[in-house]
Amino acid sequence: MRGGRSLGRRFEWLWGAYAVSALGTWLAFDAFSLIAVIVLHAGATEVAVLSAAGLAVGAAVATPLGPWMEFRRKRPVMMAMDLVRCVALLTIPAAFAFGALTFVQLLVVSVVVSAADIGFTAASGAFLKSLLPPEDLLAANARFEATQWTSTILGPPLGGAAIGVFGPVTTTLVNAVSFLLSAVGIRAIGGTETHPVRTGTARAGGLLEGWRYILAHPVLRPLFCNTVLYNAMIMVSLPLLAVLMVGDLGFTAWQYGLAFSVPSVGGLIGSRLARRLVPRFGERQVLLASGRLRACWPIGLAFVGPGTAGLVLVMVVELGVITSCAVFNPVYSTVRLRQTDSGRAARTLSAWSVTTKATTAGMTALWGVLAGFTGPRTAIAIAGVLALATLLLLPRRIEPAPEMAPLRADGVL
């Protein structure tokens, strides 16, 4: 690992493209929901359907992408996914300008963007694995993590201000432009990329090879189960916490936003810590310690009360969650890339993303029903307990992956 030194011109272009699109995405944070409420006067049920269906259907649509991209050069795939997201998002301000925007269009665009997100993430992970030597992967992932959290801090308040001044579809337009600029940056990476060898035709069903590979792998299997469940439990709590804080406890919208924007500084702290802790303690120890620590915080959200004390409690819990996740995430991403065979990278990462999004969508809908029976506080507490249970799913050992037999393009060993 090279610390703070440059990882090369080609990586700098990739990092710059990521930074632009990440900032655009966070500027447009919750933009579809806001547009649905402000422009289309949608109710809570419609907004919930928009959030859950976009993830679930997007994951289903993305299922064939992993096998399709495995035997293609990854940089053109990344550019294509950026352009697809750009064009899809541009249809929203265009329809709004002509007074033709509908809920169905928002739903379709949400699905397309979600599917393209999965495709881009899988292709970019495979490309990064081929771009850098293994010893530089942690430094690269830590920089991506820091960029993500910087965008999280800056994006939502700037986006909210832009919507207030320029209108509800402003951030969607900016996000579309950010994907266009990302595609330009990826194009500027240059260099040569070897075309993956194929001996047959990749089938859509070949994505099953990604799941099969994950579930048969002694390190990836527990890491997969841990991250999918933990991410779902974090995401299902967010809308319920909004109802609890704003609806039941009387916090204002700006206080609710403050409760999440201020603790995001923990993302910058954690991503910098990861690069310093791994050389000292090793990947395994840092992964296990941060994985255990991040599981202990979410249960605290069930105890939030009114007033300043309640706001401070949420900030402290979120700071703990974000800081420990920011240490865990780059180490986990690095371990996942190193443990995944290069010939299976796109399918494995696609299967991982599809499962994460589909599980989050299903759990979000389920927890909405649960909260209707138990109330949001109890539902948040149950999610916190299940987050604690992810302690049992952390990998007990991390060893070099055994050599695998060559994989044909049709997914058969």
Side-chain angles (χ1 to χ4, degrees):
M1 188 177 62
R2 300 184 189 180
R5 291 190 292 167
S6 172
L7 298 181
R9 184 193 66 82
R10 300 184 71 201
F11 173 77
E12 299 297 334
W13 276 111
L14 178 64
W15 187 17
Y18 177 85
V20 169
S21 62
L23 182 58
T25 297
W26 281 100
L27 278 168
F29 175 68
D30 235 4
F32 287 1
S33 296
L34 292 174
I35 292 171
V37 172
I38 296 171
V39 179
L40 303 177
H41 309 291
T45 300
E46 290 174 300
V47 172
V49 168
L50 181 63
S51 299
L55 288 174
V57 182
V61 171
T63 297
L65 289 179
W68 174 82
M69 73 177 68
E70 191 75 80
F71 301 99
R72 285 166 174 80
R73 289 189 293 267
K74 304 306 182 289
R75 197 158 59 94
V77 171
M78 294 159 64
M79 294 167 59
M81 296 300 104
D82 270 338
L83 294 176
V84 166
R85 291 184 286 187
C86 174
V87 172
L89 289 171
L90 284 176
T91 66
I92 293 178
F96 176 77
F98 288 100
L101 185 62
T102 65
F103 182 80
V104 172
Q105 181 182 353
L106 279 182
L107 191 59
V108 171
V109 173
S110 176
V111 168
V112 171
V113 170
S114 179
D117 285 344
I118 294 174
F120 183 91
T121 300
S124 62
F127 180 71
L128 181 65
K129 183 177 175 69
S130 68
L131 181 66
L132 295 177
E135 63 269 18
D136 284 340
L137 289 176
L138 177 60
N141 284 316
R143 292 177 192 186
F144 288 142
E145 186 75 12
T147 302
Q148 176 77 5
W149 287 110
T150 301
S151 301
T152 305
I153 295 170
L154 299 177
L158 291 176
I163 288 175
V165 175
F166 300 109
V169 300
T170 303
T171 56
T172 303
L173 177 60
V174 172
N175 196 19
V177 173
S178 77
F179 287 126
L180 177 61
L181 294 176
S182 174
V184 172
I186 293 169
R187 175 70 178 85
I189 291 174
T192 58
E193 184 181 355
T194 303
H195 197 294
V197 177
R198 55 188 299 170
T199 59
T201 302
R203 298 176 287 110
L207 189 64
L208 292 174
E209 167 63 23
W211 283 302
R212 188 191 69 80
Y213 181 69
I214 291 169
L215 296 177
H217 197 290
V219 176
L220 296 182
R221 181 179 61 252
L223 198 58
F224 173 73
C225 295
N226 174 276
T227 55
V228 168
L229 179 59
Y230 183 84
N231 290 340
M233 291 304 100
I234 291 296
M235 295 306 295
V236 302
S237 298
L238 293 181
L240 302 182
L241 189 61
V243 172
L244 179 62
M245 291 182 66
V246 179
D248 297 346
L249 299 178
F251 288 99
T252 63
W254 73 265
Q255 287 174 317
Y256 176 75
L258 189 69
F260 291 93
S261 62
V262 172
S264 293
V265 70
L268 299 178
I269 297 171
S271 60
R272 293 183 67 87
L273 280 174
R275 288 185 289 173
R276 289 162 173 75
L277 292 174
V278 169
R280 184 173 180 179
F281 298 104
E283 281 183 349
R284 178 181 177 275
Q285 291 301 323
V286 174
L287 185 75
L288 293 178
S290 58
R292 290 165 182 159
L293 185 61
R294 70 175 190 155
C296 297
W297 291 100
I299 189 68
L301 295 175
F303 301 98
V304 60
T308 302
L311 187 62
V312 171
L313 174 63
V314 174
M315 286 185 175
V316 170
V317 171
E318 289 298 324
L319 179 64
V321 169
I322 291 171
T323 303
S324 52
C325 284
V327 174
F328 178 88
N329 288 343
V331 182
Y332 134 75
S333 297
T334 301
V335 169
R336 183 176 62 172
L337 280 178
R338 287 179 179 168
Q339 292 287 326
T340 302
D341 181 72
S342 296
R344 295 173 172 86
R347 271 170 288 186
T348 299
L349 296 179
S350 292
W352 207 297
S353 295
V354 165
T355 307
T356 299
K357 287 183 178 288
T359 303
T360 299
M363 290 293 189
T364 299
L366 178 61
W367 250 252
V369 174
L370 177 64
F373 287 99
T374 66
R377 189 184 297 276
T378 301
I380 290 171
I382 294 172
V385 171
L386 288 177
L388 275 172
T390 62
L391 289 169
L392 304 175
L393 300 174
L394 287 167
R396 297 182 180 181
R397 56 190 175 86
I398 300 175
E399 298 175 355
E403 290 296 322
M404 302 291 290
L407 185 71
R408 289 185 1 217
D410 58 4
V412 178
L413 288 171

